[in-house]
């Protein structure tokens, strides 16, 4: 492994853009804070990183990422409590997952220590972009792209790792109605569905557009071989409450190992909710709906924490979920938010203080 001495150079913006931003009217992921973290990989190693003003970058048209999609990313958030202290939530899970994605896409791994120190320094510099209040946060988007020039189909020899950040408000997508996939697939056995690779998302846009035209907001992906097993949604893992048990499918080659998913499982157990991690079939969902034992479906992910699903469509027929008043989704979401915003004890040790 390369030399892990960390020599971060910092170039600060001349004049902050923060006064041009209306923090009460933020569209998700449209506004970016003053600085970004940048690290180049060349000559077989990661070079010394820099923090500099967020600005356009210049690449040759033949840069490998434009042709062969060697691109991976992460998604995480920073939170501010009432005392102006700043926290991350289980960041080491994201550092590790990015390197798992890197290995699968033949991208050199990025040293976790550099990721951690670089991110924390960036957050300290742009701390005013993180607003207080539950729901407000700074969305963090680390990503790596292959930048070698030349259009031969082989792994890039040069890469850039960036971290950009975007202030966001509580993400409320409204009630989500989903379509269960019976033809298209998101990922395949032996493929790279478990990696947070750009191509996984590009491939979902078209089937999702078709689902939107049919009146749904998202797709629940099923396994590519039989389409019988429920897997995950666009940017969320899935939970099904049947007979007061919370069921989620195991992660695999095809499914992203969500940080929120892991946290939901641990919190549910702590709240005394029975959980099961096992494959779950579309048929089981249909018969539970018929019998009235399906009580909830929700998605879990960094952006919205928990997204309740109001109903689903399968092979042209729509089904609604008769939900009880005391939703697991509500209880679990509140518990996670209280940990993230330093409003409760953190018996799991998930909160990491930045400043
Ligand atoms: N599945 C996919 C495909 C995703 O992109 C995401 C978002 N990262 C998730 C699940 C949820 O993962 P996390 O809880 O780590 O945000």
């Amino acid at each position: 492994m390369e030399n892990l001495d960390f020599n971060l150079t910092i170039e600060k913006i001349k004049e902050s853009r923060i006064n041009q931003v209306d923090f009460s009217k933020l569209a998700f992921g449209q506004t970016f804070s003053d600085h970004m973290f940048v690290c180049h990989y060349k000559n077989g190693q990661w070079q010394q990183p820099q923090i500099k003003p967020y600005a356009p970058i210049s690449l040759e048209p033949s840069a490998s990422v434009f042709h062969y999609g060697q691109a991976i990313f992460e998604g995480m958030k920073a939170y501010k409590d009432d005392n102006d202290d700043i926290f991350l939530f289980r960041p080491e899970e994201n550092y590790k997952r990015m390197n798992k994605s890197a290995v699968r896409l033949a991208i050199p791994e990025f040293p976790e220590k550099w990721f951690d120190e670089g991110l924390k320094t960036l957050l300290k510099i742009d701390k005013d972009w993180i607003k207080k209040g539950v729901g407000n946060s700074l969305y963090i988007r680390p990503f790596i792209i292959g930048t070698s020039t030349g259009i031969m189909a082989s792994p890039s020899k040069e890469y850039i790792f960036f971290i950009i950040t975007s202030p966001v408000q509580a993400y409320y997508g409204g009630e989500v109605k989903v379509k269960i996939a019976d033809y298209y697939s998101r990922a395949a056995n032996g493929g790279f569905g478990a990696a947070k690779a750009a191509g996984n998302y590009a491939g979902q846009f078209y089937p999702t557009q078709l689902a939107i035209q049919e009146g749904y907001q998202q797709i629940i992906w099923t396994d590519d071989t039989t389409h019988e097993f429920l897997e995950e949604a666009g940017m969320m893992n899935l939970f099904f409450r049947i007979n007061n048990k919370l069921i989620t499918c195991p992660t695999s080659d095809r499914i992203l190992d969500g940080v929120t998913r892991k946290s939901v499982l641990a919190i549910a157990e702590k709240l005394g909710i029975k959980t099961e991690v096992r494959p779950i079939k579309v048929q089981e969902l249909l018969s539970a709906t018929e019998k009235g034992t399906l009580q909830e479906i929700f998605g879990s992910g960094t952006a919205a924490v928990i997204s309740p699903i109001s109903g689903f469509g399968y092979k042209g027929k729509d089904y609604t979920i008769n939900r009880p008043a005391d939703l697991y989704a509500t209880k679990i979401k509140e518990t996670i938010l209280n940990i993230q915003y330093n409003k409760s004890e953190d018996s799991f040790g998930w909160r990491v203080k930045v400043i």
Side-chain angles (χ1 to χ4, degrees), residues 28-29 74-77 79 89 94 97 135-141 168-173 196 218 234-237 259-260 299-307 333 336-337 340-341:
F28 189 88
E74 266 305 320
M76 49 205 297
K77 280 178 171 176
Y79 312 87
F89 182 71
N94 298 90
R97 190 171 67 188
N136 295 324
S137 63
L138 191 69
Y139 183 82
I140 300 162
R141 171 53 60 88
V168 294
Q169 293 171 275
Y171 185 93
Y172 180 68
K196 243 176 126 56
Q218 289 206 27
M235 287 190 104
M236 310 187 291
N237 295 108
V259 181
T260 322
S300 70
T302 297
V305 189
I306 301 287
S307 302
K333 181 170 181 175
I336 297 187
L337 288 175
Q340 290 173 333
Y341 288 86

Short mmCIF file of all heavy atoms in Angstrom, two decimals, residues 28-29 74-77 79 89 94 97 135-141 168-173 196 218 234-237 259-260 299-307 333 336-337 340-341:
data_model
loop_
_atom_site.label_atom_id
_atom_site.label_comp_id
_atom_site.label_asym_id
_atom_site.label_seq_id
_atom_site.Cartn_x
_atom_site.Cartn_y
_atom_site.Cartn_z
N PHE A 28 -33.55 19.00 -3.54
CA PHE A 28 -32.57 17.98 -3.15
C PHE A 28 -31.40 17.89 -4.15
O PHE A 28 -31.60 17.70 -5.35
CB PHE A 28 -33.25 16.60 -3.02
CG PHE A 28 -32.35 15.57 -2.41
CD1 PHE A 28 -32.29 15.41 -1.02
CD2 PHE A 28 -31.53 14.77 -3.20
CE1 PHE A 28 -31.44 14.48 -0.45
CE2 PHE A 28 -30.68 13.84 -2.63
CZ PHE A 28 -30.63 13.69 -1.25
N GLY A 29 -30.19 18.05 -3.62
CA GLY A 29 -28.99 17.82 -4.43
C GLY A 29 -28.73 18.85 -5.52
O GLY A 29 -28.06 18.53 -6.51
N GLU A 74 -20.63 7.16 -3.17
CA GLU A 74 -21.22 6.86 -1.87
C GLU A 74 -22.24 7.94 -1.55
O GLU A 74 -22.30 8.97 -2.22
CB GLU A 74 -20.13 6.83 -0.77
CG GLU A 74 -19.58 5.44 -0.49
CD GLU A 74 -20.69 4.45 -0.15
OE1 GLU A 74 -21.63 4.80 0.56
OE2 GLU A 74 -20.62 3.30 -0.61
N GLY A 75 -23.04 7.71 -0.52
CA GLY A 75 -24.01 8.70 -0.08
C GLY A 75 -24.07 8.66 1.43
O GLY A 75 -24.28 7.59 2.01
N MET A 76 -23.81 9.79 2.07
CA MET A 76 -23.86 9.85 3.53
C MET A 76 -24.27 11.27 3.92
O MET A 76 -24.45 12.11 3.05
CB MET A 76 -22.51 9.43 4.12
CG MET A 76 -21.30 10.11 3.52
SD MET A 76 -19.72 9.19 3.66
CE MET A 76 -19.46 9.12 5.40
N LYS A 77 -24.42 11.51 5.24
CA LYS A 77 -24.86 12.84 5.67
C LYS A 77 -24.13 13.31 6.91
O LYS A 77 -23.70 12.48 7.72
CB LYS A 77 -26.35 12.82 6.00
CG LYS A 77 -27.28 12.89 4.80
CD LYS A 77 -28.71 12.80 5.27
CE LYS A 77 -29.71 13.07 4.19
NZ LYS A 77 -31.08 12.86 4.70
N TYR A 79 -24.78 15.90 10.30
CA TYR A 79 -25.90 16.47 11.06
C TYR A 79 -25.37 17.44 12.11
O TYR A 79 -24.31 17.21 12.69
CB TYR A 79 -26.65 15.33 11.79
CG TYR A 79 -26.96 14.16 10.90
CD1 TYR A 79 -26.04 13.11 10.73
CD2 TYR A 79 -28.17 14.09 10.22
CE1 TYR A 79 -26.32 12.04 9.90
CE2 TYR A 79 -28.46 13.01 9.39
CZ TYR A 79 -27.52 11.99 9.24
OH TYR A 79 -27.80 10.92 8.42
N PHE A 89 -22.87 9.63 10.76
CA PHE A 89 -23.56 8.42 11.19
C PHE A 89 -22.87 7.21 10.55
O PHE A 89 -22.90 7.08 9.34
CB PHE A 89 -25.03 8.50 10.76
CG PHE A 89 -25.88 7.34 11.18
CD1 PHE A 89 -26.23 7.16 12.51
CD2 PHE A 89 -26.33 6.42 10.23
CE1 PHE A 89 -27.02 6.09 12.90
CE2 PHE A 89 -27.13 5.34 10.61
CZ PHE A 89 -27.47 5.18 11.95
N ASN A 94 -19.46 3.52 5.20
CA ASN A 94 -19.37 4.07 3.84
C ASN A 94 -17.95 3.96 3.29
O ASN A 94 -17.75 3.70 2.10
CB ASN A 94 -19.83 5.53 3.83
CG ASN A 94 -21.28 5.67 4.23
OD1 ASN A 94 -21.58 5.84 5.42
ND2 ASN A 94 -22.19 5.55 3.30
N ARG A 97 -17.61 0.36 2.28
CA ARG A 97 -18.44 0.01 1.12
C ARG A 97 -17.89 0.63 -0.15
O ARG A 97 -17.91 0.01 -1.21
CB ARG A 97 -19.89 0.46 1.36
CG ARG A 97 -20.85 -0.08 0.31
CD ARG A 97 -22.29 0.17 0.67
NE ARG A 97 -22.61 1.59 0.64
CZ ARG A 97 -23.78 2.11 1.07
NH1 ARG A 97 -24.71 1.30 1.55
NH2 ARG A 97 -24.00 3.40 1.00
N GLY A 135 -33.94 17.01 10.26
CA GLY A 135 -34.31 17.02 8.84
C GLY A 135 -33.28 17.77 8.01
O GLY A 135 -32.97 17.38 6.89
N ASN A 136 -32.72 18.85 8.59
CA ASN A 136 -31.67 19.56 7.85
C ASN A 136 -30.37 18.78 7.96
O ASN A 136 -30.04 18.28 9.04
CB ASN A 136 -31.44 20.94 8.44
CG ASN A 136 -32.65 21.84 8.27
OD1 ASN A 136 -33.34 21.76 7.26
ND2 ASN A 136 -32.92 22.66 9.27
N SER A 137 -29.63 18.71 6.87
CA SER A 137 -28.34 18.02 6.94
C SER A 137 -27.50 18.41 5.73
O SER A 137 -27.96 19.13 4.85
CB SER A 137 -28.54 16.49 6.97
OG SER A 137 -29.15 16.07 5.77
N LEU A 138 -26.26 17.95 5.74
CA LEU A 138 -25.40 18.16 4.58
C LEU A 138 -25.20 16.79 3.94
O LEU A 138 -24.62 15.89 4.54
CB LEU A 138 -24.06 18.74 5.03
CG LEU A 138 -23.17 19.24 3.89
CD1 LEU A 138 -23.76 20.49 3.25
CD2 LEU A 138 -21.76 19.56 4.40
N TYR A 139 -25.75 16.63 2.74
CA TYR A 139 -25.59 15.37 2.02
C TYR A 139 -24.18 15.32 1.46
O TYR A 139 -23.69 16.30 0.89
CB TYR A 139 -26.63 15.27 0.89
CG TYR A 139 -26.55 13.94 0.17
CD1 TYR A 139 -27.18 12.82 0.69
CD2 TYR A 139 -25.81 13.80 -1.00
CE1 TYR A 139 -27.09 11.59 0.06
CE2 TYR A 139 -25.72 12.57 -1.64
CZ TYR A 139 -26.36 11.48 -1.11
OH TYR A 139 -26.25 10.26 -1.74
N ILE A 140 -23.51 14.19 1.65
CA ILE A 140 -22.11 14.04 1.26
C ILE A 140 -22.03 13.06 0.10
O ILE A 140 -22.53 11.94 0.20
CB ILE A 140 -21.28 13.53 2.46
CG1 ILE A 140 -21.38 14.51 3.62
CG2 ILE A 140 -19.82 13.29 2.05
CD1 ILE A 140 -20.98 13.91 4.97
N ARG A 141 -21.42 13.49 -0.99
CA ARG A 141 -21.32 12.62 -2.16
C ARG A 141 -19.84 12.39 -2.53
O ARG A 141 -19.24 13.18 -3.25
CB ARG A 141 -22.08 13.26 -3.32
CG ARG A 141 -21.90 12.58 -4.69
CD ARG A 141 -22.19 11.10 -4.68
NE ARG A 141 -23.51 10.70 -4.29
CZ ARG A 141 -24.56 10.58 -5.11
NH1 ARG A 141 -24.44 10.83 -6.37
NH2 ARG A 141 -25.73 10.17 -4.64
N VAL A 168 -29.22 19.87 2.42
CA VAL A 168 -30.56 19.37 2.10
C VAL A 168 -31.50 19.55 3.29
O VAL A 168 -31.06 19.62 4.43
CB VAL A 168 -30.55 17.88 1.65
CG1 VAL A 168 -29.80 17.71 0.34
CG2 VAL A 168 -29.95 16.96 2.72
N GLN A 169 -32.79 19.60 2.98
CA GLN A 169 -33.81 19.65 4.03
C GLN A 169 -34.42 18.26 4.16
O GLN A 169 -34.08 17.37 3.40
CB GLN A 169 -34.88 20.66 3.64
CG GLN A 169 -34.37 22.08 3.63
CD GLN A 169 -35.39 23.02 3.02
OE1 GLN A 169 -35.46 23.19 1.82
NE2 GLN A 169 -36.20 23.60 3.89
N ALA A 170 -35.34 18.12 5.11
CA ALA A 170 -36.00 16.82 5.29
C ALA A 170 -36.52 16.37 3.94
O ALA A 170 -37.11 17.15 3.19
CB ALA A 170 -37.14 16.96 6.27
N TYR A 171 -36.28 15.12 3.62
CA TYR A 171 -36.67 14.60 2.33
C TYR A 171 -38.02 13.94 2.48
O TYR A 171 -38.16 12.93 3.16
CB TYR A 171 -35.62 13.58 1.90
CG TYR A 171 -35.80 13.03 0.52
CD1 TYR A 171 -35.15 13.62 -0.56
CD2 TYR A 171 -36.59 11.92 0.29
CE1 TYR A 171 -35.31 13.11 -1.83
CE2 TYR A 171 -36.74 11.40 -0.98
CZ TYR A 171 -36.10 12.00 -2.04
OH TYR A 171 -36.25 11.49 -3.29
N TYR A 172 -39.04 14.56 1.94
CA TYR A 172 -40.35 13.92 2.01
C TYR A 172 -40.83 13.64 0.61
O TYR A 172 -41.21 14.54 -0.15
CB TYR A 172 -41.35 14.79 2.78
CG TYR A 172 -42.70 14.13 2.86
CD1 TYR A 172 -42.87 12.96 3.61
CD2 TYR A 172 -43.78 14.62 2.15
CE1 TYR A 172 -44.10 12.32 3.65
CE2 TYR A 172 -45.02 13.98 2.19
CZ TYR A 172 -45.16 12.83 2.95
OH TYR A 172 -46.38 12.18 2.97
N GLY A 173 -40.78 12.37 0.23
CA GLY A 173 -41.16 12.01 -1.13
C GLY A 173 -42.66 11.81 -1.25
O GLY A 173 -43.16 11.49 -2.32
N LYS A 196 -21.90 0.31 -5.46
CA LYS A 196 -22.56 1.59 -5.76
C LYS A 196 -21.87 2.16 -6.99
O LYS A 196 -21.07 3.09 -6.93
CB LYS A 196 -22.44 2.54 -4.55
CG LYS A 196 -23.81 2.87 -3.99
CD LYS A 196 -23.78 3.70 -2.77
CE LYS A 196 -24.63 4.95 -2.90
NZ LYS A 196 -26.03 4.75 -3.25
N GLN A 218 -41.84 4.40 -8.05
CA GLN A 218 -40.59 3.62 -8.04
C GLN A 218 -40.87 2.17 -8.37
O GLN A 218 -42.02 1.74 -8.35
CB GLN A 218 -39.97 3.68 -6.64
CG GLN A 218 -39.39 5.03 -6.32
CD GLN A 218 -38.28 4.93 -5.30
OE1 GLN A 218 -37.59 3.90 -5.19
NE2 GLN A 218 -38.08 5.98 -4.54
N GLY A 234 -35.17 1.60 -5.95
CA GLY A 234 -34.17 2.44 -6.61
C GLY A 234 -32.96 2.78 -5.75
O GLY A 234 -31.83 2.47 -6.10
N MET A 235 -33.19 3.44 -4.62
CA MET A 235 -32.08 3.79 -3.73
C MET A 235 -32.44 3.42 -2.30
O MET A 235 -32.05 4.09 -1.36
CB MET A 235 -31.73 5.26 -3.86
CG MET A 235 -31.01 5.55 -5.17
SD MET A 235 -30.32 7.20 -5.25
CE MET A 235 -28.59 6.96 -4.99
N MET A 236 -33.18 2.30 -2.15
CA MET A 236 -33.62 1.89 -0.82
C MET A 236 -33.62 0.37 -0.71
O MET A 236 -33.95 -0.33 -1.67
CB MET A 236 -35.07 2.32 -0.57
CG MET A 236 -35.40 3.75 -0.87
SD MET A 236 -37.07 4.17 -0.33
CE MET A 236 -38.09 3.23 -1.46
N ASN A 237 -33.31 -0.12 0.48
CA ASN A 237 -33.59 -1.52 0.80
C ASN A 237 -35.04 -1.59 1.28
O ASN A 237 -35.66 -0.57 1.56
CB ASN A 237 -32.64 -2.02 1.89
CG ASN A 237 -31.20 -2.03 1.41
OD1 ASN A 237 -30.38 -1.20 1.82
ND2 ASN A 237 -30.87 -2.95 0.53
N VAL A 259 -26.56 0.92 4.77
CA VAL A 259 -26.21 1.27 6.16
C VAL A 259 -27.51 1.44 6.97
O VAL A 259 -27.61 1.03 8.12
CB VAL A 259 -25.37 2.56 6.20
CG1 VAL A 259 -24.99 2.92 7.62
CG2 VAL A 259 -24.12 2.41 5.32
N THR A 260 -28.51 2.05 6.35
CA THR A 260 -29.79 2.24 7.05
C THR A 260 -30.45 0.89 7.31
O THR A 260 -31.02 0.68 8.39
CB THR A 260 -30.72 3.16 6.22
OG1 THR A 260 -29.94 4.18 5.61
CG2 THR A 260 -31.78 3.79 7.09
N GLY A 299 -39.23 1.54 2.69
CA GLY A 299 -37.86 1.50 2.18
C GLY A 299 -36.94 2.17 3.19
O GLY A 299 -37.37 3.01 3.97
N SER A 300 -35.65 1.79 3.17
CA SER A 300 -34.67 2.42 4.06
C SER A 300 -33.48 2.90 3.24
O SER A 300 -33.01 2.19 2.35
CB SER A 300 -34.20 1.41 5.11
OG SER A 300 -33.40 0.41 4.51
N GLY A 301 -33.05 4.12 3.52
CA GLY A 301 -31.89 4.67 2.79
C GLY A 301 -31.46 5.99 3.42
O GLY A 301 -32.23 6.62 4.15
N THR A 302 -30.25 6.41 3.11
CA THR A 302 -29.69 7.61 3.71
C THR A 302 -30.53 8.87 3.44
O THR A 302 -30.72 9.69 4.33
CB THR A 302 -28.26 7.82 3.17
OG1 THR A 302 -27.49 6.70 3.59
CG2 THR A 302 -27.61 9.09 3.70
N ALA A 303 -31.05 9.01 2.22
CA ALA A 303 -31.72 10.26 1.85
C ALA A 303 -32.95 10.53 2.71
O ALA A 303 -33.08 11.60 3.30
CB ALA A 303 -32.10 10.24 0.37
N ALA A 304 -33.86 9.56 2.81
CA ALA A 304 -35.13 9.80 3.52
C ALA A 304 -35.20 9.03 4.84
O ALA A 304 -36.21 9.11 5.52
CB ALA A 304 -36.29 9.42 2.63
N VAL A 305 -34.20 8.29 5.20
CA VAL A 305 -34.14 7.37 6.33
C VAL A 305 -35.14 6.23 6.12
O VAL A 305 -34.76 5.10 5.86
CB VAL A 305 -34.37 8.03 7.71
CG1 VAL A 305 -34.07 7.05 8.83
CG2 VAL A 305 -33.50 9.28 7.85
N ILE A 306 -36.45 6.56 6.22
CA ILE A 306 -37.50 5.56 6.02
C ILE A 306 -38.55 6.15 5.09
O ILE A 306 -39.01 7.27 5.32
CB ILE A 306 -38.20 5.22 7.37
CG1 ILE A 306 -37.20 4.69 8.41
CG2 ILE A 306 -39.37 4.27 7.18
CD1 ILE A 306 -36.69 3.30 8.17
N SER A 307 -38.94 5.42 4.05
CA SER A 307 -40.01 5.90 3.15
C SER A 307 -41.16 4.91 3.17
O SER A 307 -41.05 3.81 2.63
CB SER A 307 -39.51 5.98 1.70
OG SER A 307 -38.40 6.81 1.62
N LYS A 333 -37.96 5.28 12.50
CA LYS A 333 -37.40 6.52 11.94
C LYS A 333 -37.05 7.50 13.06
O LYS A 333 -35.97 8.09 13.07
CB LYS A 333 -38.40 7.16 10.97
CG LYS A 333 -37.86 8.43 10.34
CD LYS A 333 -38.74 8.91 9.21
CE LYS A 333 -38.14 10.17 8.60
NZ LYS A 333 -38.87 10.64 7.44
N ILE A 336 -33.86 6.47 14.85
CA ILE A 336 -32.63 6.75 14.08
C ILE A 336 -32.34 8.26 14.07
O ILE A 336 -31.21 8.68 14.29
CB ILE A 336 -32.73 6.22 12.62
CG1 ILE A 336 -32.88 4.69 12.64
CG2 ILE A 336 -31.51 6.63 11.79
CD1 ILE A 336 -32.82 4.03 11.27
N LEU A 337 -33.38 9.08 13.84
CA LEU A 337 -33.17 10.53 13.81
C LEU A 337 -32.64 11.02 15.15
O LEU A 337 -31.74 11.87 15.19
CB LEU A 337 -34.47 11.26 13.45
CG LEU A 337 -34.94 11.13 12.00
CD1 LEU A 337 -36.31 11.79 11.81
CD2 LEU A 337 -33.95 11.76 11.02
N GLN A 340 -29.02 10.29 15.17
CA GLN A 340 -28.27 11.12 14.21
C GLN A 340 -28.12 12.56 14.70
O GLN A 340 -27.08 13.19 14.51
CB GLN A 340 -28.96 11.08 12.83
CG GLN A 340 -28.83 9.72 12.16
CD GLN A 340 -29.63 9.59 10.88
OE1 GLN A 340 -30.64 10.26 10.70
NE2 GLN A 340 -29.20 8.71 9.99
N TYR A 341 -29.18 13.11 15.32
CA TYR A 341 -29.17 14.52 15.73
C TYR A 341 -28.80 14.71 17.20
O TYR A 341 -29.06 15.75 17.77
CB TYR A 341 -30.52 15.15 15.42
CG TYR A 341 -30.71 15.37 13.92
CD1 TYR A 341 -31.20 14.36 13.12
CD2 TYR A 341 -30.34 16.56 13.31
CE1 TYR A 341 -31.35 14.52 11.74
CE2 TYR A 341 -30.48 16.75 11.95
CZ TYR A 341 -30.98 15.72 11.16
OH TYR A 341 -31.11 15.89 9.81
#
